[in-house]
Amino acid sequence: ISSMRDGGQTAACVRIQRGMCVCPAGTVAGIGVEGVTPARGGPAGRGGGRGLRRFEEIPHTGSSGWLNLVKFWREDRFKLLHKHMERTFNTLGPIYRERLGTQSTVNILLPSDISELFRSEGLHPRRMTLQPWATHRETRQHSKGVFLKNGAEWRADRLLLNREVMMAPAVRRFLPLLDEVARDFCRLLATRVEKEGGKEERGHSLTIDPSPDLFRFALEASCHVLYGERIGLFSTSPSQESQKFIFAVERMLATTPPLLYLPPRLLWRLGAPLWTQHATAWDIIFSHAEKRIQRGVQRLRSTQAAGGGSGGAEGEFTGILGQLMDKGQLSLELIRANITELMAGGVDTTAVPLQFALYELGRNPAVQEQVRGQVKAAWARAGGDAHKALQGAPLLKGLVKETLRLYPVGITVQRYPVRDIIIQNYHIPAGTCVQACLYPLGRSRDVFQDPERFDPGRWGTQESGEGAGGGGGFRSLAFGFGARQCVGRRIAENEMQLLLMHIMLSFRLSVSSSEELSTKYTLILQPETPPRITFSTL
């Protein structure tokens, strides 16, 4: 918050009494594309001289949430929700309201407006509760992790978790485990390319859909960091249990969006097929995690009984589970809840961005060579130290940020302001769900110069000269912001950067010029059809 105060941005978070917001500004009229209802003359910007406008005057997509929901289902818009948001901003301007079933939101995309939103998030920031997930925990009598908690209870648990997953000492502890998995992945891929690929002048090449391998990599890396053990997904015959887990995560994500706008407890009581699919997927996820946790608990207790700590021999790091148990500040039930959430959120959310990153590197050879050159130089200077190599290759961080700018895993970040605020000259009452829409943000010409161009180097200047959107650092929000940002952020960032580093050291990537990538939304943004990548040995 202090950085926002000192960053030269003028605060516009004025406390307003609701009864004093009546201004004779433009009225809502007319029906635009796809049933959207714009305000006459378009939305006024802050400081535009029109005077404060009422909440009800914010342009909207229709006043009936249930009619909107039926239209979404009939036209299969959930699958293209990111495109729907982009089209609606293009039609209505930088702010609009939307009602879908039981949910009502205000959607924004300019960094300056997002900055205003985060100024008012309060000590206990709230985001939209994924009610289907919460209902599953309640009906199955599972404890909730920090993802589903709010208030003081959330803050207490989150501060304890931060020490083991977010702080710099924690990152240095688990980085070698991620690096081990990334190296193994590239060694096995190189062997496969040489065995199955065609011979070329400078080596071998093989064209594949890497997505199944990337999902296995993400699960193997997550298990190694969380439980301190490898689960053998790189073997010639990976376990059916792990494959079942990956499928369950995909099914859970796919069934979440339509359930967000319906009363899940009613669907649970009715035994609705959509709810049954969702709950069964979560049951498989919990079962997989519980087996791993039980195995880890038994191993750690045996180590402690033999006179060692959870760190193993000579302080060896044996996973976040062991660290949390050793500290003893969270109950085992809460550790289970949070480890399971980290597991469920740690597969698709890294495997899918890696698909996009490889695709963009393959179709941008100049960018690929620039990244590879920096990685090679950093690797040589680091002498095999992965942490030093990452520090010496900032383009890897830029590569991840640029990938997530164009293909954000989650397409919105939500907050409920704790006080009344003003955005685009509209009064927004405290407690309103306001969401920053990341897909249109990342592709907006008002925010980024040449937004369709894939350029990891653009992040080296902190985007200081780009666009008119203002808002300082609020252009990159794929992991959220502030105290409520993604708790697995450091794991995911380093996992992706390490794998991309080793791929750059081992392979040259290319894609067919006819390889077009379309996207779909199933709670995360992913390719409609996974891209085929050609890996050529260096």
Side-chain angles (χ1 to χ4, degrees):
I1 297 298
S2 60
S3 64
M4 287 193 286
R5 287 182 185 136
D6 299 337
Q9 299 294 323
T10 304
C13 298
V14 181
R15 181 72 185 177
I16 314 161
Q17 297 301 318
R18 296 193 187 184
M20 298 172 64
C21 297
V22 180
C23 301
T27 58
V28 176
I31 300 296
V33 220
E34 298 192 26
V36 290
T37 308
R40 188 173 292 150
R46 287 175 303 158
R50 291 192 177 196
L52 187 63
R53 305 179 72 173
R54 293 179 295 115
F55 177 81
E56 292 75 16
E57 293 182 277
I58 298 174
H60 60 83
T61 59
S63 57
S64 171
W66 296 109
L67 286 178
N68 288 344
L69 186 59
V70 169
K71 183 182 294 185
F72 260 66
W73 270 327
R74 190 175 62 235
E75 299 175 6
D76 201 17
R77 281 200 212 169
F78 285 115
K79 184 178 171 183
L80 295 173
L81 186 58
H82 55 302
K83 295 287 190 181
H84 163 78
M85 290 175 173
E86 186 175 43
R87 286 194 301 269
T88 307
F89 280 118
N90 288 338
T91 302
L92 298 184
I95 183 171
Y96 71 90
R97 287 188 293 129
E98 185 147 65
R99 299 186 66 181
L100 285 175
T102 59
Q103 299 286 351
S104 179
T105 62
V106 171
N107 295 348
I108 58 176
L109 89 157
L110 293 180
S112 54
D113 294 337
I114 297 169
S115 172
E116 297 296 339
L117 173 63
F118 283 124
R119 288 176 191 272
S120 63
E121 67 177 2
L123 183 63
H124 303 131
R126 285 179 58 218
R127 58 186 173 197
M128 184 187 292
T129 298
L130 295 181
Q131 200 55 51
W133 297 16
T135 300
H136 173 268
R137 306 301 188 273
E138 292 158 8
T139 56
R140 298 297 197 265
Q141 297 185 328
H142 292 313
S143 292
K144 295 175 183 176
V146 293
F147 191 86
L148 294 171
K149 284 186 175 179
N150 287 301
E153 186 182 22
W154 160 79
R155 183 174 177 81
D157 291 356
R158 178 64 194 250
L159 290 175
L160 294 174
L161 281 174
N162 281 352
R163 296 172 193 169
E164 307 307 331
V165 296
M166 292 290 286
M167 302 300 187
V171 174
R172 285 194 290 271
R173 285 194 295 268
F174 63 66
L175 198 71
L177 280 70
L178 294 174
D179 188 52
E180 176 191 322
V181 179
R183 289 180 191 236
D184 285 353
F185 178 93
C186 288
R187 275 196 292 267
L188 287 166
L189 182 56
T191 301
R192 182 180 174 189
V193 171
E194 289 175 5
K195 283 184 177 180
E196 302 175 21
K199 187 76 171 68
E200 294 184 338
E201 185 179 340
R202 290 184 293 180
H204 293 76
S205 70
L206 180 67
T207 301
I208 59 171
D209 165 14
S211 57
D213 300 306
L214 293 173
F215 277 93
R216 285 193 288 270
F217 162 75
L219 181 53
E220 185 83 13
S222 293
C223 284
H224 202 19
V225 167
L226 293 174
Y227 308 128
E229 67 171 2
R230 298 289 295 271
I231 60 174
L233 283 176
F234 294 163
S235 67
T236 52
S237 54
S239 74
Q240 288 298 309
E241 177 194 7
S242 296
Q243 293 297 109
K244 191 176 178 182
F245 174 86
I246 292 173
F247 177 77
V249 171
E250 292 173 351
R251 175 52 43 192
M252 176 272 291
L253 293 172
T255 53
T256 297
L259 287 170
L260 287 175
Y261 310 102
L262 296 167
R265 277 197 170 269
L266 176 61
L267 298 180
W268 166 62
R269 293 184 188 282
L270 294 174
L274 183 63
W275 170 257
T276 302
Q277 290 180 43
H278 183 77
T280 301
W282 267 120
D283 290 342
I284 293 169
I285 293 167
F286 267 82
S287 175
H288 181 276
E290 180 61 22
K291 289 175 185 174
R292 299 288 166 193
I293 291 168
Q294 284 297 335
R295 198 150 44 230
V297 168
Q298 290 169 8
R299 186 179 68 249
L300 294 165
R301 284 176 176 167
S302 298
T303 303
Q304 291 167 346
S310 64
E314 298 182 4
E316 177 190 356
F317 177 67
T318 57
I320 291 168
L321 173 66
Q323 293 293 122
L324 291 171
M325 284 188 62
D326 198 42
K327 297 290 170 55
Q329 294 173 302
L330 281 175
S331 70
L332 183 57
E333 187 59 31
L334 287 177
I335 291 174
R336 281 195 185 99
N338 285 290
I339 290 288
T340 302
E341 285 183 5
L342 284 167
M343 275 293 297
V347 179
D348 293 56
T349 51
T350 49
V352 171
L354 284 167
Q355 291 179 54
F356 286 124
L358 297 178
Y359 168 78
E360 288 292 348
L361 287 168
R363 73 179 193 139
N364 291 281
V367 170
Q368 183 181 160
E369 289 307 314
Q370 183 186 22
V371 174
R372 179 178 292 107
Q374 189 179 88
V375 164
K376 281 186 170 181
W379 185 251
R381 289 193 303 269
D385 184 315
H387 185 254
K388 288 181 180 177
L390 290 185
Q391 289 181 320
L395 276 177
L396 285 170
K397 182 177 282 189
L399 173 57
V400 171
K401 290 179 77 169
E402 185 72 347
T403 300
L404 292 172
R405 174 182 74 82
L406 289 171
Y407 310 102
V409 178
I411 60 172
T412 64
V413 176
Q414 318 89 27
R415 289 294 186 272
Y416 294 80
V418 296
R419 60 179 179 271
D420 292 8
I421 58 174
I422 300 170
I423 292 180
Q424 293 290 323
N425 269 4
Y426 291 104
H427 166 225
I428 299 177
T432 302
C433 181
V434 183
Q435 53 184 12
C437 300
L438 305 189
Y439 185 87
L441 161 66
R443 293 167 182 262
S444 170
R445 294 187 181 277
D446 291 331
V447 181
F448 294 97
Q449 294 177 6
D450 196 4
E452 298 301 319
R453 178 171 52 93
F454 186 76
D455 179 16
R458 75 168 77 230
W459 297 101
T461 59
Q462 297 299 309
E463 295 283 346
S464 54
E466 290 217 18
F474 293 95
R475 292 178 172 87
S476 179
L477 291 168
F479 292 102
F481 170 79
R484 192 114 209 194
Q485 66 185 290
C486 171
V487 70
R489 175 176 188 163
R490 301 300 177 216
I491 299 173
E493 286 177 329
N494 286 285
E495 186 178 321
M496 289 189 280
Q497 288 179 49
L498 285 166
L499 184 63
L500 291 167
M501 177 177 74
H502 288 296
I503 286 176
M504 288 294 94
L505 292 169
S506 305
F507 305 99
R508 181 171 288 104
L509 310 173
S510 60
V511 296
S512 166
S513 57
S514 62
E515 183 83 40
E516 291 295 328
L517 196 65
S518 57
T519 53
K520 64 180 179 180
Y521 175 72
T522 56
L523 198 64
I524 65 169
L525 191 68
Q526 57 187 300
E528 180 75 47
T529 302
R532 292 177 61 79
I533 311 291
T534 299
F535 292 83
S536 302
T537 53
L538 295 174

